[in-house]
Amino acid sequence: MSNSNEIQACIFDLDGVIVDTAHYHYQAWKRLANELGFDLTPEQNEKMKGIGRMQSLDILLELGNIQKEKKEKKQLANKKNEWYQEYIREMQPENLLPGVIPFLEELTEAHILIAVGSASKNAPTIIRQVQIGRYLDALIDGSKVTKGKPDPEVFLKAAEEMGIAPEHCVVFEDAQAGIEAAKNGGMRTIGVGSPDVLSQADMVISGLHQMNLEKLKTLE
Ligand code: BG6
Ligand code: MG
């Protein structure tokens, strides 16, 4: 009989957890804000992390006190995405954040399943470029969900695809909205980043280089 607290799967957010693309998203949104005549601070950007492209744009336009029609919004989002894709075009396995591969190897050896749950429609491209597809038991990206984080849909779908109940999953997230989403789905959470920003998580680490199986098991 398995312990009801047993960790059977880890679900990773992608941007800001596996790769440093959270920074590229910020650069592209900042560039768009500048073009629209205002600036975007890193603090303001925290609220845009983890959520879908169009919702992020809505937050940005609100910050700039700008109203746009639907068609123009689509054009602005496309423009941001083109800049973002320019940044990620050259990504390679070397761009994985420190500690990612050793931890994925450790999980695989321990037969703990692995998924990526990301709001990004660019997630499959990035995963291909950094070559971590072979570790994944499930990949749920922005094109497979209808409700963005903090709704738990993305993580619940990942758990379902792996055949693991939410209470046996741990989610790794760098975004407040992502921690909330995992909690809403009944999962345990590890914040990746600053404890000030991710205070709602069960544990906070600065990066996956600070993670290993033994530490993960302390959540059981
Ligand atoms: C999330 C990022 O992973 O994906 C957000 O944290 C981003 O910043 C969202 O807006 C959507 O990404 P994309 O690549 O579909 O525009
Ligand atoms: Mg993220």
Side-chain angles (χ1 to χ4, degrees):
M1 277 282 280
S2 73
N3 159 355
S4 63
N5 256 342
E6 189 183 49
I7 296 165
Q8 298 176 353
C10 286
I11 308 177
F12 296 89
D13 171 50
L14 180 71
D15 295 320
V17 172
I18 302 267
V19 283
D20 196 16
T21 40
H23 182 67
Y24 295 152
H25 279 294
Y26 172 56
Q27 289 303 323
W29 285 126
K30 189 177 160 75
R31 186 167 165 188
L32 189 66
N34 291 167
E35 221 181 75
L36 292 168
F38 62 101
D39 203 14
L40 178 70
T41 66
E43 292 72 32
Q44 290 169 327
N45 181 62
E46 283 303 326
K47 301 275 175 234
M48 296 170 64
K49 277 188 184 170
I51 61 175
R53 196 180 306 164
M54 295 313 289
Q55 288 164 285
S56 298
L57 177 66
D58 282 338
I59 293 180
L60 188 85
L61 292 177
E62 210 178 301
L63 286 168
N65 213 355
I66 291 170
Q67 268 103 40
K68 295 282 183 198
E69 292 304 318
K70 202 172 169 191
K71 194 175 154 207
E72 212 178 333
K73 277 196 200 174
K74 196 90 206 108
Q75 288 166 346
L76 291 173
N78 285 345
K79 194 181 225 187
K80 179 266 172 180
N81 193 48
E82 276 167 28
W83 290 331
Y84 178 70
Q85 287 182 335
E86 271 173 35
Y87 294 136
I88 64 171
R89 193 163 297 148
E90 309 293 332
M91 287 188 84
Q92 299 171 30
E94 288 68 39
N95 295 106
L96 284 164
L97 283 166
V100 171
I101 294 293
F103 187 49
L104 295 183
E105 292 277 357
E106 222 185 344
L107 292 176
T108 305
E109 268 173 43
H111 303 290
I112 294 176
L113 300 189
I114 300 169
V116 163
S118 168
S120 173
K121 292 183 172 152
N122 290 297
T125 307
I126 294 174
I127 285 167
R128 209 175 314 121
Q129 286 180 216
V130 299
Q131 297 173 22
I132 54 162
R134 66 183 182 281
Y135 292 105
L136 304 187
D137 299 290
L139 163 58
I140 307 296
D141 65 72
S143 67
K144 294 188 183 167
V145 291
T146 54
K147 289 167 276 179
K149 301 169 187 176
D151 188 283
E153 185 185 11
V154 64
F155 297 135
L156 291 178
K157 279 201 165 162
E160 195 186 337
E161 202 166 302
M162 292 187 286
I164 305 288
E167 59 267 32
H168 292 297
C169 296
V170 173
V171 170
F172 290 78
E173 257 293 349
D174 71 319
Q176 288 164 355
I179 296 288
E180 243 183 275
K183 284 180 128 27
N184 288 338
M187 298 176 181
R188 275 161 283 176
T189 53
I190 299 184
V192 182
S194 146
D196 300 340
V197 178
L198 304 167
S199 57
Q200 300 302 312
D202 296 313
M203 182 193 292
V204 180
I205 55 174
S206 66
L208 289 178
H209 60 287
Q210 284 196 338
M211 200 62 214
N212 58 41
L213 196 58
E214 201 186 327
K215 209 161 166 183
L216 181 71
K217 294 271 183 190
T218 63
L219 287 186
E220 287 188 339

